[in-house]
């Protein structure tokens, strides 16, 4: 057991971290992926086979249709597109007038059987949030594998060709992740607005690529990032670094406040990071939640207090971090 001398996150707050009215349903469809990125908190990859079952997919569709309060259905993985139920969930959510987000690694479009995805996304007006951890090739390939940058560029050009980043209803966002640390010279994510401009200028000048927004996301010490930090004996120092940069102004905007995160087995969590660390959401009575229990109760608002852990400092350091980028 690695000792970490950080203040328990809940002790850092002046009051319990409470759930607000749920408006976002984030679904992790499974761990199948064509890539095995070094920073992946899901530890997804080509050899993983865990994915959604038809039964859980049906329950998710039932929830999406039953609760008008859900405004956004956010599909992630693995490569969400590779896992069972992806298109069923997209089409059910669009039929129910929800905004649908797909968190895409871009390279999936070049795998056998997935070449229809850019056109499919455009047809259903899916918002594409695409991982591009840097605008320079060397940094991307180090994190995600040789040749990933070139495929990502081709995929972004393809998305532009079908209207993404150009038409009002076809939103294309990119995600920046920092490089993994190899020493105690840790740094927070750069200023989001300035880095977005750098990305836009570089990608336009070199490749004619346009996109809507850049989201800067901190590497949380979860999954492969945690394993890397432990291997380099940097896990405790990194947590201490994150705590030392705690910004109380981020707390009001944390993504866990109005979101439910669901895994491929139908278990409910406050966020995707808690999901990967097997820290389930709890009812007021202390019971673990599942989507079956939500359906039986006829309510999404069964959680009073959000489950927290030391890695929550990653979402509250500096300008904050979330699936939608900086928080303040």
């Amino acid at each position: 057991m690695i000792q970490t001398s950080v203040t328990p996150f809940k002790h850092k707050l002046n009051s319990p971290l409470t759930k607000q009215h749920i408006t976002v349903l984030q679904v992790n469809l499974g761990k199948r992926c064509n890539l095995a990125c070094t920073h992946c908190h899901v530890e997804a990859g080509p050899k993983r086979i865990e994915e959604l079952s038809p039964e859980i997919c049906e329950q998710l569709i039932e929830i999406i249709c039953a609760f008008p309060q859900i405004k956004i259905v956010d599909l992630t993985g693995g490569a969400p597109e590779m896992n069972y139920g992806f298109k069923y969930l997209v089409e059910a959510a669009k039929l129910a007038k929800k905004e649908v987000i797909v968190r895409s690694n871009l390279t999936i479009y070049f795998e056998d059987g997935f070449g229809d995805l850019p056109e499919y996304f455009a047809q259903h007006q899916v918002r594409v949030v695409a991982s591009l951890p840097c605008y320079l090739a060397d940094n991307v390939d180090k994190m995600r594998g040789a040749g990933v940058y070139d495929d990502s560029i081709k995929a972004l050009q393809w998305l532009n060709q079908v209207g993404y980043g150009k038409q009002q209803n076809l939103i294309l966002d990119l995600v920046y992740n920092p490089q993994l640390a190899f020493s105690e010279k840790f740094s927070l994510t750069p200023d989001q607005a300035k880095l977005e401009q750098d990305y836009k200028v570089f990608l336009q000048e070199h490749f004619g690529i346009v996109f809507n927004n850049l989201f800067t996301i901190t590497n949380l010490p979860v999954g492969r990032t945690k394993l890397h930090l432990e291997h380099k004996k940097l896990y405790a120092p990194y947590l201490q670094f994150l705590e030392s940069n705690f910004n109380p102004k981020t707390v009001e905007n944390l993504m866990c406040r109005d979101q439910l995160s669901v895994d491929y087995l139908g278990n409910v969590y406050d966020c995707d990071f808690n999901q990967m660390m097997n820290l389930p959401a709890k009812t007021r009575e202390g019971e673990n939640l599942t989507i079956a229990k939500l359906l039986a109760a006829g309510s999404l608002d069964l959680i009073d207090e959000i489950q927290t852990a030391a890695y929550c400092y990653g979402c509250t350091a500096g300008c904050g971090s979330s699936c939608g980028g900086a928080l303040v």
Side-chain angles (χ1 to χ4, degrees), residues 6 20 28 33 112 127 131-132 166 206 254 283 292 327:
V6 297
Q20 295 165 343
N28 189 304
C33 191
D112 287 346
R127 183 172 188 160
S131 180
L132 192 71
K166 298 177 179 181
H206 289 80
L254 286 171
T283 65
L327 298 174

Side-chain angles (χ1 to χ4, degrees), residues 65-90:
C65 296
F67 294 98
Q69 73 190 77
I70 297 172
K71 304 301 180 199
I72 297 171
V73 176
D74 185 343
L75 303 176
T76 182
E81 305 98 326
M82 286 184 78
N83 290 274
Y84 178 84
F86 175 72
K87 288 186 176 179
Y88 295 134
L89 290 171
V90 168

Side-chain angles (χ1 to χ4, degrees), residues 10 49 63 75 103 147 197 199 204 216 259 263 273 290:
K10 63 182 178 183
I49 57 170
I63 280 203
L75 303 176
R103 297 192 179 269
Q197 278 311 112
Y199 264 72
Q204 173 73 60
T216 56
Q259 177 194 84
D263 70 10
F273 300 112
T290 63

Side-chain angles (χ1 to χ4, degrees), residues 81 104 106-111 114-115 117-118 121 128 155 158-159:
E81 305 98 326
S104 182
L106 298 172
T107 63
I108 185 66
Y109 314 155
F110 303 105
E111 300 286 340
F114 298 98
L117 284 173
F121 292 161
V128 178
W158 190 352
L159 288 168

Side-chain angles (χ1 to χ4, degrees), residues 23-37:
T23 58
V24 180
L25 183 71
Q26 186 175 70
V27 182
N28 189 304
L29 282 82
K31 297 183 187 280
R32 287 157 53 96
C33 191
N34 58 313
L35 301 178
C37 302

